[in-house]
Amino acid sequence: MRFHFPRLTFFRGLAFRYSLFFLISILIIIFFPMIVGYGVSSALLYMNAQDEATNMTEQTVARFENALQPTELVPQILVQAMENPNTSYAEVLRIARDFVVHDTVVFGTCLALEPYLYGKDNYWYAPYAWEKNGKLATKILGSPDYDYFKMDWYRLPKLLHQPVWTEPYYDQGGGDKMMCTYSAPIYRTINGKRIFTGVLTMDVSLECFARLVKEISIFKTGYGILISGKGTIIASPLSGAGNQNIIDLARKGRGKSTQHAIKEMMAGKSGFTSMDGLEAKKFASFLSYAPVKKTGWSFGIIFPEDELLETMFKYLKVMAWMFGISITILLFTTIFITRRMTRPIVRLVEATHKIGQGDFNAKLPVRKSKDEVAQLTKAFSVMQGELRNYIRHLEETTSEKEKIESELKVAHNIQMGMLPRGFTTPENWDLFATLDPAKAVGGDLYDFFYLDPDHLCIAIGDVAGKGVPASLFMMVARTLLRAKAVAGTPINEVIKSINHELCQDNPSEMFVTFFAGVVDLKTGEMEFCNAGHNYPYILSSGGQIRQLKVRHGLPLGIFDSLDYTMGTFCFKPTEIIVLTTDGITDALNSANDFFGEAQLAASLTALANKNTRVLTELLIGELRRFSSGAEQADDITILALQYKDARAMPGDSESADQLKLSNQITELEKIAGKIEELCEGWNIPVKTGMELNLVLEELFTNVVFYAFDDQREHLITLDFSMVGPGLLEIRMEDDGKPFNLLDKAVTDVVNVPLEERQIGGLGIHFIREMMNEVEYRRDADRNVVILRKNFQTKIKG
């Protein structure tokens, strides 16, 4: 049967796709320079416009200030002159009126005096002069209808004791036009006192400023605007904007950028920013603004953004048309050329398709040229021979792989067979453990065995690594544990010895986190050593859960000659200790979320009333559901041990616990941890726990610093007991020098100055105050302090 290779359509062919790829590459190559060019051009235009607008703003502000400078200077000089009692009001009026006639900006002047100052019959006296038709007109202001004492131009300088510029206003009865007034307060010395006597004003018509503002021209429609300190528009070419407040215009449908720019402008700042304009329609605009510092006014120049970029947009349109036509011509030319170049490749595709169907002897087309297609044909010819060899080698490799998998399966069976499976314990104990390696063999371990009929050794570990090397290292650690764990040998010494052995010959620098404990099956007390392993969980039947948050040294196999310490834990009836490896907390789901400590604690809490086997199997099941769809990344190991005896342990009335400490100040951390553990387990209020921690820290610190004269290590024990409902007893013993804290007089310690207090007096005072009962006795060369504390059990909810 002859094979017919389907012909490629035009749009699926290599010629079209190559042409399209070539075209897209050119577009990308040209696009980025165009974008950069556009950005640079825009930035340059923006900078030039900003410089031009800023310079024009500053020049206009300078013109305003130059025009206003004499307006402020002349009244200041005249007011200073009037402080001299020999200076007459008539002389001052004459000079001020001459200034009005000669100055082009000042419209009028007024000398307004306090009531009855000019004469006993003159309540108002304010001679006003202004320029009218080239001549000077005068009149006296002041009447019930024009009470200048209540007007800003008189009232503000009197209150502020300094010259002020008023807001723009229409002076009806004075100049009868829109103006701003510069008012300077007049003071005279009368009967030895400096007294306010009136104000001297210079009125500036806003018409001259409107002319200056109308002269502003930037781009096509840019314009200037002059506002007062409170936002009143003094001059602007906008229709209907005269005497309005610029804030009202900014609020009429304007954006936040406009309102922000106006606020900056009114605050007396200078700058250049974008806004929406102030016209009837919104236009993206720029605003350059600067303050007129002498008056508190602000001047700004506004121009549309599109006028800035108009020329560049026209240029870009022309370039886009030319670019589009060029790309179209280039596309058709590239397609024509590439179709001619790819015809030999189509014939080669037909031959290789037959090879792909298993005909490794199919003939390839002959190429006489030495181009890339000929080299490709030669490469396919070589591939034919390689494929034949590969199939032969694949059959051999498959056979070898099956043999390796068979050997790994045997190794897995050996490893799992070495782990203890018979969970035999006394009737009042329950034990179960499981290990699920991530690979055929793993680096986790658990173990348990009897040291003698009354002592059970339990252990769990996690080698840093997976596979065969980790499995071998794990088995060495387990073998060393069984060889060195002997009844009567402290568990920390066993761990130290194992660490020493692992460090002797460890070329791969592997290490293992390790937790081992020896449980007294009669008393429920466990001595344990945690060498860098996960914290164990303690689970009670009531659903309370906590961790033994203490580590006694680094993982095994890192540093030789390390010393390891140990801790003690006393099982309460029905409590379960759960030992795990980080394969549980580090388990991932399909979303790459960790199972985590919080979810592990919640899962264990929900399984509080289950036995160890059910608890372990249900926890594994929940972990499987969580990780559904994700590959197991690490070994998973769990060991659970429960003390089921419902009777109280010997020597306890209700509950008891013990803490053994060395005479090192660093042991304070263990006291705090034990108090926290007891508060949670025995339902002790937080406040009572804080008081107990403070008292024990004080007692322990005194023993460490003052009880021993030698440099040797000494043992300090703390026994905690619940001797009745809501009654806690703490017994502290040490072999230091005798010291009876009850003999120390601390009656007046609180009232004695700090520098006169004896060392330890205040701490002993707190101990007596916080404890309900304190006893001391010397027993067999040991100090014994007994503390009792009543408390109300906290309510759980």
Side-chain angles (χ1 to χ4, degrees), residues 534-538 545-550 597 677 680:
N534 300 41
Y535 295 131
Y537 283 92
I538 306 300
I545 190 170
R546 66 186 189 278
Q547 287 181 290
L548 292 180
K549 289 190 175 182
V550 60
E597 293 283 354
E677 176 185 334
E680 182 176 357

Side-chain angles (χ1 to χ4, degrees), residues 102 158 169 233 259 313 321 333 401 403 435 443 601 672 698 736 754:
H102 293 93
K158 179 179 180 180
Y169 67 97
I233 298 177
Q259 298 182 26
F313 284 149
W321 276 103
T333 303
K401 183 178 179 183
K403 182 178 179 181
L435 189 154
E698 178 65 22
L754 182 63

